[in-house]
Amino acid sequence: SQKIEQNSEALNIQEGKTATLTCNYTNYSPAYLQWYRQDPGRGPVFLLLIRENEKEKRKERLKVTFDTTLKQSLFHITASQPADSATYLCALGEETGANNLFFGTGTRLTVIP
Amino acid sequence: ETGVTQTPRHLVMGMTNKKSLKCEQHLGHNAMYWYKQSAKKPLELMFVYNFKEQTENNSVPSRFSPECPNSSHLFLHLHTLQPEDSALYLCASSPPGRSNEKLFFGSGTQLSVL
């Protein structure tokens, strides 16, 4: 069966450290993978997209890697801040332009001051 | 703000009520979506509209009825819902071209069915 697993439901880290979140998938052939941030009571907000032929993408303090052999994406937040506390969702798209994105259940990150 | 507005933010309804959720965007996007988010479950796609035409119905029960009068507005009409339909209902839109590669979500309607 198809599965998207995000490493843990909750992750606590100390301010200033690097947070690493994991997204593993089974029985999908993603053309791209996205990461979203969701704050309580709000909708997800798009952060980054990485395509199957890309190994790494960066945006400010964010870095995403995509390993189609391991069927895994890693999402890193460097120099984490309490304001980074939120739930982070990964989502897979199987073909460019197709309407369905398949989401993981998310990891709730808490950055402790 | 993402530019996608949903109303109401919260809704409590009985199983015999009829209510509607509203979503609007003025971003020039041509695709609009309804998603359901239940606690500890992934977002579930419900419906997709492209240029006002429904292109996806993800086996959603008929007690949920979408309407898309134009590319900027999307409604979800609700009737005879069940308590298990209680969830956060999210509207999203995406720009023309690679339509699914960046979704803009509204803040959602938190629905409670009593």
Side-chain angles (χ1 to χ4, degrees):
Chain A
S1 63
Q2 293 180 315
K3 275 193 304 187
I4 300 171
E5 293 177 305
Q6 294 193 237
N7 55 322
S8 54
E9 195 174 318
L11 179 66
N12 295 336
I13 63 162
Q14 210 66 38
E15 181 176 5
K17 301 291 186 187
T18 295
T20 299
L21 284 63
T22 305
C23 177
N24 294 295
Y25 58 91
T26 308
N27 293 326
Y28 286 98
S29 298
Y32 53 87
L33 190 147
Q34 302 178 14
W35 285 88
Y36 288 81
R37 169 185 172 139
Q38 186 172 22
D39 291 287
R42 310 300 293 259
V45 175
F46 174 85
L47 295 174
L48 281 167
L49 178 150
I50 186 166
R51 300 189 190 283
E52 59 177 331
N53 60 348
E54 298 175 316
K55 295 292 185 190
E56 183 179 296
K57 235 0 166 12
R58 290 176 186 262
K59 179 183 174 183
E60 297 171 354
R61 294 184 295 111
L62 308 180
K63 184 178 88 170
V64 172
T65 63
F66 192 10
D67 189 325
T68 55
T69 302
L70 292 179
K71 299 186 186 302
Q72 180 181 81
S73 174
L74 299 179
F75 176 79
H76 306 273
I77 306 175
T78 58
S80 58
Q81 304 165 1
D84 295 326
S85 299
T87 296
Y88 291 86
L89 308 173
C90 70
L92 309 182
E94 286 202 298
E95 55 184 84
T96 301
N99 284 314
N100 207 354
L101 276 181
F102 301 94
F103 282 85
T105 51
T107 296
R108 189 175 69 253
L109 174 68
T110 302
V111 180
I112 302 163
Chain B
E1 293 302 321
T2 61
V4 179
T5 303
Q6 288 188 245
T7 53
R9 290 296 308 276
H10 303 273
L11 179 62
V12 178
M13 58 188 289
M15 290 192 284
T16 58
N17 291 159
K18 288 184 181 181
K19 296 285 184 183
S20 295
L21 310 184
K22 180 182 175 182
C23 175
E24 62 181 299
Q25 56 89 11
H26 298 287
L27 300 169
H29 293 172
N30 59 289
M32 296 188 77
Y33 311 74
W34 281 116
Y35 278 88
K36 175 182 179 182
Q37 188 174 34
S38 304
K40 301 195 187 293
K41 288 187 177 180
L43 269 74
E44 300 172 49
L45 179 67
M46 300 175 73
F47 301 104
V48 183
Y49 280 82
N50 276 292
F51 294 106
K52 305 189 301 177
E53 300 298 319
Q54 188 180 118
T55 55
E56 186 97 23
N57 176 337
N58 206 20
S59 303
V60 180
S62 60
R63 57 186 184 269
F64 295 91
S65 173
E67 178 190 1
C68 189
N70 54 60
S71 294
S72 299
H73 293 86
L74 185 64
F75 296 89
L76 188 62
H77 304 298
L78 316 171
H79 64 98
T80 58
L81 294 192
Q82 306 297 310
E84 60 264 28
D85 296 323
S86 298
L88 180 68
Y89 288 86
L90 290 161
C91 172
S93 68
S94 61
R98 298 183 169 187
S99 61
N100 213 24
E101 292 191 4
K102 183 175 181 179
L103 295 184
F104 292 72
F105 284 90
S107 292
T109 295
Q110 186 66 55
L111 174 67
S112 297
V113 181
L114 305 178

